[in-house]
Amino acid sequence: MPQSANRTVPVSAAGAKVAIGDIHLDAAQETAAELGVSAHRLDVSDPECLNAFLTEVTHELGPIDIFVSNAGIMWVGPFAEESNAVARAQIEVNLLGVINGIKAAAPAMVARGGGHLITVASAGSILPTPGEATYAATKHGVLGYLKAIRAELRGKGVRITSIMPGVVDTALAAGTSSGAAKLLTPAEVARSVVKSALRPRFEITVPGFIGPAVKVANLLPLAIRDRLFGAMVPNQLLARKNQRQDYEASFTATRR
């Protein structure tokens, strides 16, 4: 799917009432039928659509305790070859989508004095990723935004979590490499969302070693850091394969 589903709570198996939203309603309804949850159309780049989604879900299930932002799209290639339309689409979905969602969901949580905003960002939020320049910029932006929101909401009962997985086996990552880390499954990322809901932390990397490794690397001289990151982080310019063409064509078409 060009945009992955946004979920108001992680999974129904954890005892939560769940609603999911996606820009492709048919795909959301198919997933919802498998999970036994409800589905709604949701374009995260449209604030009015987000507000309507939250209104529908609140009417259906009650106040939203946990809001998970998970929509994302990615173009891979040399930065100079990326079209302005593709760059804009990634910013609208990956960064503004998170901003729109938090602006829509947070006020009611603040008013109630409790809630949890979980965003599935990317290890690209803290790593240099050749071939994914704009995507990485949006994910760095997401982490920076969440840091500021966390500071603003401190003491108001609303928790913030940024989950930063490596490469996940989805259409978004088709034709790319996972580098030194293993290729993750969607289920592994989902489990990290559930764990963060049960035991909140602000920054969570998947796999867990990425966070400490980056912190250590950032203490090193630049030349050594570059060599370390060069060994850890996949160069997607070298790794990318032709199977990305259909995926990237689909999300640019969706944004028109």
Side-chain angles (χ1 to χ4, degrees), residues 63-235:
I64 296 171
D65 298 310
I66 302 173
F67 182 78
V68 182
S69 297
N70 187 48
I73 55 178
M74 181 174 74
W75 183 87
V76 176
F79 70 90
E81 295 180 11
E82 180 186 58
S83 72
N84 291 336
V86 167
R88 187 178 301 110
Q90 290 173 92
I91 292 169
E92 288 179 348
V93 174
N94 301 356
L95 180 54
L96 287 177
V98 171
I99 293 172
N100 293 337
I102 289 179
K103 283 184 175 180
M109 293 181 179
V110 172
R112 294 197 312 271
H116 195 174
L117 299 163
I118 301 175
T119 297
V120 180
S122 167
S125 301
I126 55 176
L127 291 170
T129 52
E132 302 172 1
T134 298
Y135 177 81
T138 64
K139 297 303 183 176
H140 276 71
V142 164
L143 183 58
Y145 184 76
L146 294 177
K147 287 178 178 179
I149 295 300
R150 180 172 177 267
E152 286 192 37
L153 296 182
R154 190 175 292 122
K156 297 183 179 179
V158 180
R159 293 163 296 190
I160 309 292
T161 294
S162 175
I163 295 177
M164 296 174 281
V167 180
V168 185
D169 187 13
T170 64
L172 180 145
T176 66
S177 167
S178 61
K182 72 169 185 175
L183 182 65
L184 299 170
T185 66
E188 288 175 300
V189 179
R191 282 194 291 271
S192 72
V193 173
V194 175
K195 289 179 181 178
S196 73
L198 298 173
R199 188 174 298 177
R201 291 163 49 200
F202 175 52
E203 294 184 31
I204 299 173
T205 57
V206 188
F209 76 82
I210 293 178
V214 170
K215 290 179 181 178
V216 171
N218 285 334
L219 298 174
L220 301 174
L222 183 60
I224 299 176
R225 191 190 320 163
D226 286 344
R227 287 198 293 274
L228 181 59
F229 281 143
M232 287 176 54
V233 182
N235 185 330

Side-chain angles (χ1 to χ4, degrees), residues 1 22-33 39-41:
M1 292 182 291
D22 192 271
I23 196 168
H24 299 291
L25 181 57
D26 290 347
Q29 289 173 332
E30 181 179 345
T31 300
H40 306 261
R41 185 182 182 278

